[in-house]
């Protein structure tokens, strides 16, 4: 029985997951720290060695659907750590991964790094857009975590909070605009 | 009489749980990688893990102090009696903690583009065999670091972050065993019951230097020693909503005797979960959605993780047998 349980664990627990130590931002800080916020579809993904050949990065090209901040341009290109060249895959734990055809709202920054943009806060600036099979609407994942008021009073984040729901794409865009209109996200 | 005792046990456990759940919960998860159409657990086939330290310090931390902090963190994992992991310092190197040289290198690196990232672990994986070719850990020198025994205000504790990253290096993914609060300046940890919780404690604390029950269960699960197999047990079952399986639900087991928390996720479409590495005895189960954070920090983005349900306690106390498992638990949840 014990052996069977261990085998089951090995089979089911090994999803491809990622992790690192982060300092999570409040949503308005993600908005404020991003020069470009774009909703689009991933058109191309290409792994390459960094200029100094010490690491593999993936260059992601997105066909822009609409810009919530920054732009313009028909496509946006950014870099994420990790990728696969040949039979070897470099997995940077915590870095987002993309596949052609995926939709997302991306919060991109160009500060502090190479000339090509990167995702704000490693994966904090990636909000996936998934189609609700039942209603056919586009939902944004994960839910937004935005403090009420000016955020000066700490607010516990409770799992299962019934007020925290996945937003439709339109609701998410409205939330971004609301964040931009507040002082910290200018 | 027996049912009265059972009800009492439930009540005692529930009361204890209410107290304990103020420091909420989640559980360990293992890193995996795709090999062909399969997904396999990432683990080292050869031990000890031999690692090099980049011979470069930062303000306030010399390379020797870096090596000592990393060695202390490795020793903490190596000291888990229910696991067989071991490590060996192989020397200083001029190499950066990046992939491509076939060596496992740990060190500081300036990565201002990885904003809000204190440190990260990377793997070079042979996608044909699933073997780890090398693994590297970098600490972002864009931040202020300390190796002070008591912690240092305004500085992040290097040993704490090293302990977390070395957990990844061993194959552990994130635990969600923590509670945060929102405030201007970002989310902040209020409490964490796992070193593998992805959100760092505020600077100045050394709370992250100590492994918790969830971490210990996780490392034993990947590298089980004889005592792990002999002394711990497991709980398995399903999480369902309207009769269908829930993927990505977080199930937490609370040991009413030791007051410790260990958990697991439902990791298949039928809602199946297994929580292993549990201490024998009565446990109370709770399931809750991972709706408070970055789901991608835990799961492959292609998975349809269900976060639309309310937290739920299991109506019975589950007794974990020593060296065995209790199965058939069904946790029924309802949508928000």
């Amino acid at each position: 029985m014990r052996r069977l349980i261990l085998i089951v664990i090995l089979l089911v627990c090994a999803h491809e997951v990622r992790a690192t130590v982060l300092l999570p931002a409040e949503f308005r800080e993600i908005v404020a720290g991003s020069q470009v916020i774009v909703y689009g579809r991933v058109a191309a993904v290409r792994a390459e060695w960094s200029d100094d050949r010490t690491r593999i990065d993936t260059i992601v090209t997105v066909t822009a659907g609409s810009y919530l901040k920054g732009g313009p341009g028909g496509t946006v290109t950014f870099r994420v750590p990790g990728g696969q060249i040949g039979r070897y895959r470099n997995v940077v734990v915590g870095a987002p991964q993309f596949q052609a055809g995926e939709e997302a709202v991306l919060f991109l920054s160009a500060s502090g790094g190479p000339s090509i943009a990167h995702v704000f806060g490693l994966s904090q600036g990636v909000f996936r857009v998934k189609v609700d099979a039942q209603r056919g609407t586009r939902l944004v994942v994960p839910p937004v975590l935005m403090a009420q008021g000016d955020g000066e009073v700490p607010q516990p984040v409770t799992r299962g909070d019934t007020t925290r729901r996945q937003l439709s794409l339109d609701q998410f865009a409205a939330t971004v605009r609301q964040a931009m209109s507040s002082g910290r996200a200018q | 009489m027996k049912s009265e005792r059972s009800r009492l046990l439930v009540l005692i456990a529930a009361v204890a749980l209410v107290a304990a759940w103020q420091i909420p919960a989640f559980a360990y998860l293992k890193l995996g990688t795709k090999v062909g159409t399969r997904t396999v657990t990432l683990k080292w086939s050869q031990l000890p893990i031999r690692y090099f330290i980049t011979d470069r310090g930062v303000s306030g931390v010399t390379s020797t102090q870096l090596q000592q902090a990393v060695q202390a963190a490795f020793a903490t994992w190596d000291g888990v009696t229910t696991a067989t992991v071991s490590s060996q310092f192989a020397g200083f190197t001029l190499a950066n903690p990046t992939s491509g040289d076939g060596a496992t290198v740990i060190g500081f690196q300036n990565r201002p583009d990885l904003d809000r990232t204190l440190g990260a672990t990377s793997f070079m994986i042979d996608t044909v065999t699933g073997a780890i070719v090398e693994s590297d850990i970098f600490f972002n020198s864009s931040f202020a670091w300390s190796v002070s025994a008591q912690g240092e205000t305004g500085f992040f504790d290097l040993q704490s972050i090293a302990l977390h990253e070395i957990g990844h290096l061993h194959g552990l993914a994130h635990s969600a065993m923590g509670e945060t609060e929102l405030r201007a300046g970002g989310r902040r940890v209020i409490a964490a019951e796992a070193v593998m919780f992805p959100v760092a404690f505020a600077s100045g604390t050394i709370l992250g230097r100590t492994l918790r029950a969830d971490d210990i269960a996780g490392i034993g699960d990947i590298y089980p020693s004889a005592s792990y197999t002999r002394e711990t047990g497991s709980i398995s079952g399903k999480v369902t909503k309207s009769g269908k399986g829930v993927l990505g639900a977080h199930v937490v087991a609370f040991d009413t005797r030791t007051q410790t928390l260990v958990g697991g996720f439902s990791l298949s479409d039928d809602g199946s979960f297994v929580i292993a590495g549990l201490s024998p005895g009565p446990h109370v189960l709770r399931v809750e959605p991972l709706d408070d954070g970055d789901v991608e920090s835990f799961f492959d983005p292609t998975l349809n993780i269900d976060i639309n349900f309310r937290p739920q306690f299991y109506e019975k106390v589950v007794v974990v047998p020593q060296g065995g498992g209790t199965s058939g638990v069904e946790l029924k949840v309802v949508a928000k």
Side-chain angles (χ1 to χ4, degrees):
Chain A
M1 181 62 187
R2 181 72 192 156
R3 183 176 175 81
L4 177 63
I5 290 170
L6 287 174
I7 291 170
V8 170
I9 291 167
L10 287 177
L11 290 176
V12 302
C13 288
H15 278 287
E16 193 155 35
V17 289
R18 50 287 320 272
T20 193
V21 188
L22 292 172
L23 300 171
E26 198 258 5
F27 188 66
R28 280 171 289 203
E29 292 164 322
I30 299 176
V31 172
S34 304
Q35 283 78 55
V36 172
I37 304 174
V38 59
Y39 159 63
R41 183 189 298 266
V42 177
V45 176
R46 172 175 53 86
E48 64 178 27
W49 285 101
S50 61
D51 292 341
D52 56 3
R53 290 194 65 81
T54 59
R55 65 175 192 270
I56 297 173
D57 288 337
T58 295
I59 308 301
V60 183
T61 302
V62 169
T63 303
S66 59
Y67 285 93
L68 300 173
K69 186 177 182 183
T75 61
V76 183
T77 301
F78 59 94
R79 182 191 304 267
V80 293
Q84 183 168 341
I85 296 179
R87 70 184 278 180
Y88 296 101
R89 181 188 304 141
N90 181 212
V91 177
V92 177
V93 186
Q97 295 179 15
F98 296 92
Q99 294 178 7
E102 290 177 336
E103 294 183 22
V105 180
L106 298 152
F107 294 70
L108 303 175
S109 170
S111 60
S115 55
I116 188 168
H118 61 270
V119 176
F120 179 93
L122 201 56
S123 61
Q124 295 179 59
V126 179
F127 288 81
R128 308 275 176 178
V129 177
K130 300 197 174 185
V131 176
D132 183 333
Q134 290 183 328
R135 291 181 291 179
T137 55
R138 282 175 161 74
L139 296 175
V140 179
V141 183
V144 169
L145 290 178
M146 187 159 68
Q148 294 180 347
D150 58 10
E152 294 303 320
V153 179
Q155 298 153 32
V157 179
T158 306
R159 292 193 182 116
D161 184 342
T162 54
T163 64
R164 192 183 313 122
R165 295 169 181 269
Q166 289 174 269
L167 300 177
S168 69
L169 193 54
D170 289 342
Q171 290 170 327
F172 185 83
T175 305
V176 172
R177 284 192 287 270
Q178 178 193 341
M180 289 174 67
S181 67
S182 69
R184 276 204 308 282
Q186 295 300 307
Chain B
M1 184 64 184
K2 188 178 178 185
S3 67
E4 279 181 16
R5 194 182 303 138
S6 297
R7 278 199 293 272
L8 184 62
L9 265 177
V10 171
L11 183 62
I12 291 169
V15 170
L17 197 65
V18 167
W21 232 272
Q22 306 302 320
I23 308 169
F26 272 152
Y28 69 86
L29 200 59
K30 298 189 289 189
L31 289 169
T33 189
K34 287 193 174 69
V35 178
T37 56
R38 295 180 301 129
T39 301
V40 299
T41 298
L42 265 188
K43 63 178 290 186
W44 295 83
S45 56
Q46 287 191 324
L47 296 171
I49 299 169
R50 297 183 77 250
Y51 63 92
F52 294 85
I53 297 289
T54 303
D55 194 5
R56 185 171 57 240
V58 293
S59 175
V61 180
T62 66
S63 58
T64 300
Q65 289 171 319
L66 164 66
Q67 185 267 323
Q68 290 167 344
V70 168
Q71 186 162 313
F74 265 113
T76 302
W77 285 108
D78 293 353
V80 175
T81 57
T82 49
T84 58
V85 290
S86 58
S87 57
Q88 181 183 18
F89 171 52
F92 287 99
T93 177
L94 296 177
N96 282 317
T98 49
S99 298
D101 54 8
T104 291
V105 179
I106 300 172
F108 288 110
Q109 196 171 23
N110 187 29
R111 293 295 301 273
D113 54 317
L114 298 183
D115 42 9
R116 290 183 172 263
T117 305
L118 289 167
T121 305
S122 64
F123 292 91
M124 187 66 86
I125 299 161
D126 184 333
T127 59
V128 175
T129 64
I132 299 171
V133 178
E134 66 172 279
S135 179
D136 302 299
I137 294 172
F138 92 91
F139 304 106
N140 199 337
S141 55
S142 299
F143 294 90
W145 295 97
S146 170
V147 291
S148 165
Q150 292 79 35
E152 202 171 348
T153 303
F155 294 79
F156 288 99
D157 181 51
L158 186 59
Q159 186 175 327
S160 296
I161 305 303
L163 192 64
H164 177 105
E165 295 303 335
I166 291 168
H168 290 320
L169 186 138
H170 283 126
L172 278 172
H174 276 156
S175 164
M177 193 87 75
E179 185 181 24
T180 61
E181 64 182 12
L182 272 175
R183 56 191 304 164
R187 283 171 69 196
R188 196 182 71 167
V189 174
I190 302 172
E193 280 298 311
V195 160
M196 298 313 294
F197 188 59
V199 182
F201 276 107
S203 60
T205 176
I206 58 167
L207 288 171
R209 291 186 184 183
T210 306
L211 298 178
R212 308 301 176 93
D214 190 73
D215 306 306
I216 292 167
I219 197 70
D221 191 345
I222 302 176
Y223 303 93
S225 68
S227 64
Y228 174 88
T229 308
R230 191 176 56 241
E231 295 169 8
T232 68
S234 67
I235 297 172
S236 59
K238 289 182 179 179
V239 180
T240 61
K241 183 172 73 174
S242 303
K244 294 181 178 176
V246 175
L247 178 62
H250 210 257
V251 185
V252 183
F254 173 69
D255 186 325
T256 60
R257 295 190 303 187
T258 62
Q259 308 274 300
T260 55
L261 296 155
V262 179
F265 289 90
S266 56
L267 292 171
S268 59
D269 289 336
D270 69 355
S272 297
F273 71 89
V274 180
I275 311 173
L278 297 172
S279 48
H283 287 71
V284 173
L285 293 181
R286 186 186 193 229
V287 58
E288 50 193 2
L290 192 59
D291 65 349
D292 67 334
D294 178 10
V295 176
E296 275 189 49
S297 186
F298 294 83
F299 294 105
D300 187 308
T302 60
L303 296 173
N304 285 315
I305 302 300
D306 190 345
I307 57 173
N308 180 28
F309 63 90
R310 297 169 186 250
Q312 182 69 48
F313 286 103
Y314 189 53
E315 66 270 21
K316 299 174 186 173
V317 169
V318 180
V319 178
V320 175
Q322 185 170 350
T326 298
S327 59
V329 172
E330 183 175 2
L331 285 151
K332 298 177 180 177
V333 297
V334 296
K336 286 183 181 177

